[in-house]
C-alpha cells in the first residue's frame, strides 16, 4: 500500500485520540546522522513535541499509517552511548530497556559507520527487535564508500535498510521492514559472537565499563572491515581542507565574526520591508477594528483602551519582532544544517574552558542572538547542571533581535551619520560587532566569576563531533525553523504584550493633578537616570519594556511627545531631531547602548528561565546580574564624561 500521511488541525489531545496506534516504534541514533530527517519523512505533519516526564530534554512523537496499521514513532534523544553519562543517554537507554516499543529503528550515518556501530551493538544488547537504517547512502556513494547491507545484516542479526532520507529514498522499504519486525514476520537473530560479554542493563564499575567499551570497539571494527569498502582513500579530504580554514586558530574566529556580521546585516536590512508591510496591514486592520467598535456603540474609553492600548502595542510587537526572527532563525538553522555550527563550538571551546564553563555554551550564546528565550532553552544540550546554569545566567549578555534594531538606530544616528551609502552600512555593522564583542567578553568574565563563586567547579569534557559538510535542505529548514522557533517565541511575546499594552495606555491616559501617571513615573526616575547619563524617560521605557524589548523606543517617543499611545517614527532624521531636542548627547547614546546591552531579560526569557531552572532564585539572579553591570558601567561612563567636560 505504501506510506500515507494525513493532515490534522486539531489539538494534540484530539490528535492522540485520532491516532490510536497499533504499534510503538522508537527512533534512536547518534547526533547528526539524519535521524530528524527520517522522523519528519515518516510522520510528515502528524507530530508534536514536549518534554520527557521530569526532564527538560525535548521529545518528539509522531504517527504514520502503513498498510492499514498506525505506528507511533518516538524520537529518542541523539546519543553516542547507552552507558548513561548524560540525561539524553539515560532517557534513551531507559526507554529502550522498558520494552515499550515493539521495534527500534537505529539510524546510522553511512559516511562514518564504524563509530555508529558502537551504539548499534549497545542497543542490541538491550533488545534484538531492531532495524538498522543506514542513512545518507547518497553522500557515502559520492565519497566512494560502498556498504554490503546484506553482509551487515548477517553480522548484526537484524534487518538492515539503506536510505537517503533527504530525498525520501528507502523509506517505503523501511516501513515494510518495521512492520515485519512488529508482526514477527521477520525474527531478529541473536548473534552470540556479537553480544558475548556485553551487558548494559546493570550498573557497571569503571573497570567493567572500560572493558565493555573496548569489546564493543573491537566488534565494531570487525564488522566494519567485513562490510565496508572505500574506493577513495581520501574521501573526506575536502572537509579537512575546509576545516583547516574554518577551525584554524588564525582564521576560525575572524571568519565566524564575519559570518555573524553578514547574518546581522541581512537580518536588519531585510527586515525593514516586511516590517513596513506588516505595519501597513495592521493599520488597515486597525481601521476595521475602529469601525466595528463604533458599529457596536462601544464607549470611547473602551474603544481607546482596546485600539490605542492593547491593539497598537500588539501590532507593534508583531510587526517589529516577526520579520527579524523570520530571517535570523532560518539563517541560523541553515548554518546548523550545513555542519558549520559545531565548528563554532570547536573554535570557542578553549575560551569557555578557561572560564570553567562548557564549550557548548558557545552554541546557546549564538542562539541568543535570535532570541534569548531560545538560547536559554538551548542550554538543555549541556549535561552538567552547574555549567547549564552558567550558560542560562549569561545568555542575556548577547543582544537578541529585539535589541538589535535599537542599537543599529542609535549607531546610525550618533556615530555613522557622517558616512553615506554602503560605507555607512559597513561602519554600522563594524560598530555593532564591537558592541556584540563587548557582550561576549562580559559573558566570559561573568562565567569565570560564577564558576569561582556561586557555581564552583571544574569544566567537564564533552565529545564534539565535526559532521561532514552538507548541502542544507533550504525549504525544509526554513519551514521547520519558522514553526519551531519563530512562531513559538512570537506566541510567548504576544501573550505578554497584551497586558503590557493595557498597562502602558492606562499610565499614559490616567491623570492626577493634570499630569499623567506615565509622566509622574518619568519624573520620579529622572534623578536616577541623570546619574547614569540617561533620564527618567529612558529608565521608565526600559521598565515598561519588560514584556518585549521592541517597545522601548516607542515608549520613549510616547513620553517625549506627551502622546497617549505608542508612537512610531517616520525616519531616523526625525527621531534624531526629537532625541536631541530632549537633551540627548553622545554620552546619552553610549549609555543607552550599554543599558540596551546589559539589562534584565524580557518577560519571555524570564518565564523560560524559570521553567528551565524551576527556581525563582536563579531567575531573579539572571535579571539582577546584567542590570547591575549595566547600571555600574553607565554610571562610570557618565562620571568620566562629566570630568572631561569640566
Amino acid at each position: 500500500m505504501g506510506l500515507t500521511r494525513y493532515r490534522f488541525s486539531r489539538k494534540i489531545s484530539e490528535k492522540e485520540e485520532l491516532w490510536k496506534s497499533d504499534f510503538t516504534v522508537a527512533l534512536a541514533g547518534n547526533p547528526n546522522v539524519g535521524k530528524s530527517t527520517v522522523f519528519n519523512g515518516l510522520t510528515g505533519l502528524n507530530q508534536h513535541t514536549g518534554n520527557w516526564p521530569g526532564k527538560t530534554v525535548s521529545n518528539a512523537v509522531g504517527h504514520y499509517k502503513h498498510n492499514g496499521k498506525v505506528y507511533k514513532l518516538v524520537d529518542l534523544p541523539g546519543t553516542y552511548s547507552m552507558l548513561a553519562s548524560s540525561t539524553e543517554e539515560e532517557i534513551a537507554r531507559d526507554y529502550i530497556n522498558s520494552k515499550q516499543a515493539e521495534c527500534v529503528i537505529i539510524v546510522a550515518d553511512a559516511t562514518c559507520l564504524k563509530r555508529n556501530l558502537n551504539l548499534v551493538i549497545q542497543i542490541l544488547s538491550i533488545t534484538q527487535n531492531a532495524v538498522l537504517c543506514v542513512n545518507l547512502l547518497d553522500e557515502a556513494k559520492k565519497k566512494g564508500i560502498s556498504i554490503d547491507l546484506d553482509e551487515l545484516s548477517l553480522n548484526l542479526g537484524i534487518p538492515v535498510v539503506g536510505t537517503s532520507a533527504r530525498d525520501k529514498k528507502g523509506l517505503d522499504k523501511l516501513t515494510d521492514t518495521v512492520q515485519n519486525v512488529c508482526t514477527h514476520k521477520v525474527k531478529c537473530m541473536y548473534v552470540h559472537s556479537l553480544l558475548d560479554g556485553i551487558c548494559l542493563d546493570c550498573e557497571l564499575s569503571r573497570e567493567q565499563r572500560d572493558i565493555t567499551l573496548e569489546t564493543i570497539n573491537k566488534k565494531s571494527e570487525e564488522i566494519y572491515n567485513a562490510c565496508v569498502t572505500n574506493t577513495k582513500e581520501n574521501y573526506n579530504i575536502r572537509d579537512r581542507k575546509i576545516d583547516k580554514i574554518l577551525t584554524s586558530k588564525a582564521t576560525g574566529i575572524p571568519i565566524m565574526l564575519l559570518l555573524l556580521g553578514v547574518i546581522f546585516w541581512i537580518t536588519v536590512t531585510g527586515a525593514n520591508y516586511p516590517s513596513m508591510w506588516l505595519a501597513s496591514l495592521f493599520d488597515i486592520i486597525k481601521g476595521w477594528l475602529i469601525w466595528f467598535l463604533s458599529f457596536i456603540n462601544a464607549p470611547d474609553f473602551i474603544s481607546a483602551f482596546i485600539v490605542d492600548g492593547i491593539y497598537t502595542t500588539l501590532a507593534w510587537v508583531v510587526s517589529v519582532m516577526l520579520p527579524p526572527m523570520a530571517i535570523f532563525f532560518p539563517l541560523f538553522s541553515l548554518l546548523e544544517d550545513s555542519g558549520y555550527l559545531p565548528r563554532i563550538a570547536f573554535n570557542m571551546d578553549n575560551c569557555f574552558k578557561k572560564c570553567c564553563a562548557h564549550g557548548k555554551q558557545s552554541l546557546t550564546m549564538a542562539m541568543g542572538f535570535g532570541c534569548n528565550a531560545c538560547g536559554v532553552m538551548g542550554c538543555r544540550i549541556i549535561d552538567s547542571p552547574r555549567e547549564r546554569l552558567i550558560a542560562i545566567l549569561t545568555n542575556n549578555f548577547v543582544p537578541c533581535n529585539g535589541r538589535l534594531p535599537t542599537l543599529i538606530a542609535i549607531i546610525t544616528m550618533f556615530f555613522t551619520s557622517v558616512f553615506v551609502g554602503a560605507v555607512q552600512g559597513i561602519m554600522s555593522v563594524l560598530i555593532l560587532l564591537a558592541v556584540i564583542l563587548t557582550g561576549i567578553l562580559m559573558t566570559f568574565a561573568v562565567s569565570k566569576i560564577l564558576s569561582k563563586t556561586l557555581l564552583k567547579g571544574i569544566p567537564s569534557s564533552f565529545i564534539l563531533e565535526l559532521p561532514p559538510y552538507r548541502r542544507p535542505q533550504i525549504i525544509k529548514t526554513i519551514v521547520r525553523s519558522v514553526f519551531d522557533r519563530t512562531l513559538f517565541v512570537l506566541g510567548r511575546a504576544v501573550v505578554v504584550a497584551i497586558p503590557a499594552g493595557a498597562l502602558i495606555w492606562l499610565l499614559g491616559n490616567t491623570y492626577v493633578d493634570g499630569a499623567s501617571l506615565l509622566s509622574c513615573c518619568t519624573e520620579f526616575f529622572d534623578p536616577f537616570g541623570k546619574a547614569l547619563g540617561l533620564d527618567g524617560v529612558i529608565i521608565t521605557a526600559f521598565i515598561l519594556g519588560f514584556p518585549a524589548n521592541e517597545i522601548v523606543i516607542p515608549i520613549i517617543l510616547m513620553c517625549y511627545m506627551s502622546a497617549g499611545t505608542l508612537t512610531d517614527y517616520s525616519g531616523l532624521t526625525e527621531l534624531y531631531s526629537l532625541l536631541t531636542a530632549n537633551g540627548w548627547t553622545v554620552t546619552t547614546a553610549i549609555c543607552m547602548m550599554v543599558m540596551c546591552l546589559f539589562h534584565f531579560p524580557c518577560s519571555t526569557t524570564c518565564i523560560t528561565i524559570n521553567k528551565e531552572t524551576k527556581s525563582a532564585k536563579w531567575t531573579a539572579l539572571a535579571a539582577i546580574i546584567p542590570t547591575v553591570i549595566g547600571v555600574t558601567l553607565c554610571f562610570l561612563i557618565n562620571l568620566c564624561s562629566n570630568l572631561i567636560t569640566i
Side-chain angles (χ1 to χ4, degrees), residues 233-531:
E233 293 184 2
N234 298 321
Y235 67 89
N236 62 347
I237 190 170
R238 187 199 65 171
D239 288 356
R240 300 291 74 83
K241 285 182 177 180
I242 298 175
D243 280 339
K244 283 184 178 180
I245 300 174
L246 296 184
T247 61
S248 165
K249 291 183 179 180
T251 59
I253 292 180
I255 291 176
M256 178 187 72
L257 293 175
L258 178 63
L259 277 175
L260 284 176
V262 171
I263 289 176
F264 292 145
W265 181 79
I266 293 174
T267 299
V268 175
T269 304
N272 289 333
Y273 299 104
S275 290
M276 289 189 293
W277 298 334
L278 280 174
S280 300
L281 175 62
F282 282 122
D283 283 340
I284 295 173
I285 298 175
K286 183 178 180 179
W288 295 343
L289 181 59
I290 292 173
W291 174 86
F292 174 75
L293 292 172
S294 176
F295 178 77
I296 63 174
N297 295 318
D300 293 340
F301 175 83
I302 299 298
S303 296
F305 177 75
I306 294 175
V307 175
D308 297 332
I310 295 175
Y311 178 81
T312 300
T313 304
L314 183 62
W316 178 274
V317 169
V318 174
S319 62
V320 175
M321 277 189 72
L322 182 57
M325 284 196 299
I327 295 173
F328 179 86
F329 283 141
L331 289 176
F332 187 83
S333 297
L334 288 173
L335 284 182
E336 183 179 11
D337 200 35
S338 68
Y340 178 68
L341 219 53
R343 272 79 182 176
I344 293 179
F346 179 86
N347 291 332
M348 302 295 292
D349 178 48
N350 191 46
C351 296
F352 281 102
K353 187 176 181 180
K354 289 180 179 179
C355 299
C356 295
H358 202 287
K360 289 183 180 178
Q361 187 174 337
S362 60
L363 298 179
T364 65
M365 183 175 64
M367 292 176 67
F369 287 116
C371 174
N372 294 125
C374 284
V376 170
M377 290 177 62
C379 294
R380 297 173 180 179
I381 65 176
I382 301 175
D383 302 328
S384 165
R386 181 189 72 84
E387 292 166 336
R388 190 186 309 127
L389 263 177
I390 291 176
I392 288 173
L393 294 176
T394 58
N395 192 267
N396 195 58
F397 289 128
V398 292
C400 64
N401 65 51
R403 290 180 277 171
L404 288 176
T406 300
L407 289 171
I408 290 175
I410 295 172
I411 290 170
T412 303
M413 289 186 294
F414 288 90
F415 302 102
T416 64
S417 58
V418 294
F419 303 101
V420 294
V423 177
Q424 185 183 42
I426 294 173
M427 292 302 298
S428 295
V429 170
L430 290 176
I431 296 176
L432 179 62
L433 283 175
V435 173
I436 291 170
L437 281 175
T438 303
I440 293 174
L441 293 175
M442 189 61 71
T443 300
F444 293 150
V446 175
S447 296
K448 182 74 170 181
I449 293 171
L450 288 172
S451 66
K452 297 297 182 181
T453 54
L454 294 176
L455 298 168
K456 291 182 180 179
I458 300 173
S460 60
S461 59
F462 74 105
I463 299 173
L464 179 61
E465 178 187 12
L466 296 181
Y469 292 100
R470 298 183 180 126
R471 176 174 53 86
Q473 296 177 287
I474 297 177
I475 302 299
K476 288 184 179 179
T477 300
I478 291 175
V479 171
R480 300 302 302 179
S481 177
V482 168
F483 281 96
D484 291 346
R485 291 178 176 174
T486 304
L487 295 183
F488 171 77
V489 176
L490 184 65
R492 284 191 174 183
V494 165
V495 169
V496 295
I498 292 174
L503 175 62
I504 293 170
W505 186 87
L506 288 173
L507 290 174
N509 291 273
T510 303
Y511 290 84
V512 177
D513 296 331
S516 67
L517 292 179
L518 187 60
S519 63
C520 292
C521 291
T522 61
E523 290 178 10
F524 176 79
F525 288 115
D526 199 56
F528 176 66
K530 295 292 186 184

Side-chain angles (χ1 to χ4, degrees), residues 393 396-397 598-601 606 616-631:
L393 294 176
N396 195 58
F397 289 128
F598 302 118
H599 74 280
F600 46 81
C606 286
K617 179 186 75 173
W618 293 118
T619 305
L621 194 61
I624 292 171
I625 291 175
T627 306
V628 169
I629 292 173
V631 168

Side-chain angles (χ1 to χ4, degrees), residues 18-74:
L18 287 166
W19 288 102
K20 288 186 177 179
S21 56
D22 298 292
F23 301 105
T24 299
V25 179
L27 192 64
N30 291 163
N32 302 310
V33 295
K35 189 161 63 73
S36 296
T37 307
V38 173
F39 179 79
N40 293 330
L42 292 176
T43 61
L45 298 177
N46 307 313
Q47 54 184 254
H48 66 270
T49 58
N51 282 349
W52 294 92
K55 308 288 184 182
T56 57
V57 178
S58 298
N59 68 16
V61 177
H63 296 82
Y64 70 89
K65 194 172 183 180
H66 182 67
N67 289 340
K69 300 293 184 181
V70 176
Y71 294 79
K72 177 183 177 182
L73 191 60
V74 180

